[in-house]
């Protein structure tokens, strides 16, 4: 479980789903040029989490960038997968917020499951 997400949970908030980068992330130009060190650090430090209240995405080791948005503030989660992505089960997720906020994350493993878990969490939150 992601250390950042676990440390920053709100009262009565729990992690429902967590994913990370797909191994294909290591085969990027950045990965090859850095002898796979950069993707390895990203794999260990970046977090993609859905809780019962919000989506938390944290990137970085020393300089940290976070994206945290309540489930009720997210319009949709888009998934984009190439043919190879469908075969190997990775893709790009784009989180679109109510105010037009759009954040894209590439090479995520199980992107369709991420969207399904988001939709399930949103449904449960709205039907309490």
């Amino acid at each position: 479980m992601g250390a950042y997400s676990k440390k920053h949970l709100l009262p009565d908030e729990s992690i429902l789903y967590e994913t990370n980068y797909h191994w294909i992330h290591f085969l990027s130009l950045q990965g090859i040029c850095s002898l796979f060190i950069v993707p390895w650090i990203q794999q260990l430090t970046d977090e993609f989490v859905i809780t019962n209240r919000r989506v938390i995405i944290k990137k970085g080791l020393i300089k940290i960038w976070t994206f945290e948005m309540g489930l009720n503030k997210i319009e949709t989660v888009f998934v984009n997968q190439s043919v190879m992505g469908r075969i190997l089960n990775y893709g790009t997720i784009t989180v679109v917020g109510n105010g037009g906020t759009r954040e894209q994350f590439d090479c995520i493993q199980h992107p369709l499951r991420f969207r399904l878990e988001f939709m399930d969490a949103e449904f449960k939150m709205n039907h309490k």
Side-chain angles (χ1 to χ4, degrees):
M1 182 181 305
Y4 175 86
S5 299
K6 187 175 180 182
K7 184 178 177 182
H8 292 91
L9 289 176
L10 301 171
D12 298 325
E13 185 176 27
S14 60
I15 292 176
L16 302 176
Y17 182 70
E18 182 174 5
T19 192
N20 210 323
Y21 295 107
H22 190 272
W23 61 263
I24 201 88
H25 179 64
F26 286 87
L27 301 181
S28 67
L29 182 60
Q30 181 184 44
I32 294 168
C33 290
S34 69
L35 302 175
F36 310 109
I37 294 171
V38 171
W40 180 70
I41 291 170
Q42 290 172 331
Q43 186 80 18
L44 293 175
T45 61
D46 294 2
E47 302 174 22
F48 303 88
V49 175
I50 298 173
T51 74
N52 59 332
R53 293 187 180 187
R54 59 190 166 147
V55 171
I56 302 171
I57 297 173
K58 177 252 180 197
K59 296 177 83 173
L61 174 62
I62 297 170
K63 179 182 173 190
I64 296 175
W65 177 90
T66 62
F67 172 83
E68 301 180 30
M69 186 174 283
L71 296 176
N72 58 349
K73 300 293 183 189
I74 297 174
E75 275 185 31
T76 190
V77 174
F78 289 114
V79 173
N80 186 12
Q81 286 184 299
S82 64
V83 173
M84 188 61 73
R86 290 285 293 160
I87 293 168
L88 298 176
N89 202 8
Y90 73 91
T92 299
I93 57 172
T94 304
V95 180
V96 180
N98 289 344
T101 305
R102 178 181 288 264
E103 296 294 337
Q104 181 174 306
F105 307 97
D106 300 319
C107 292
I108 305 301
Q109 65 183 346
H110 313 295
L112 293 173
R113 179 149 182 230
F114 185 90
R115 182 177 62 190
L116 180 66
E117 293 290 341
F118 161 74
M119 291 170 26
D120 186 49
E122 182 185 38
F123 178 81
K124 288 177 182 174
M125 187 183 77
N126 289 331
H127 290 88
K128 278 187 177 181

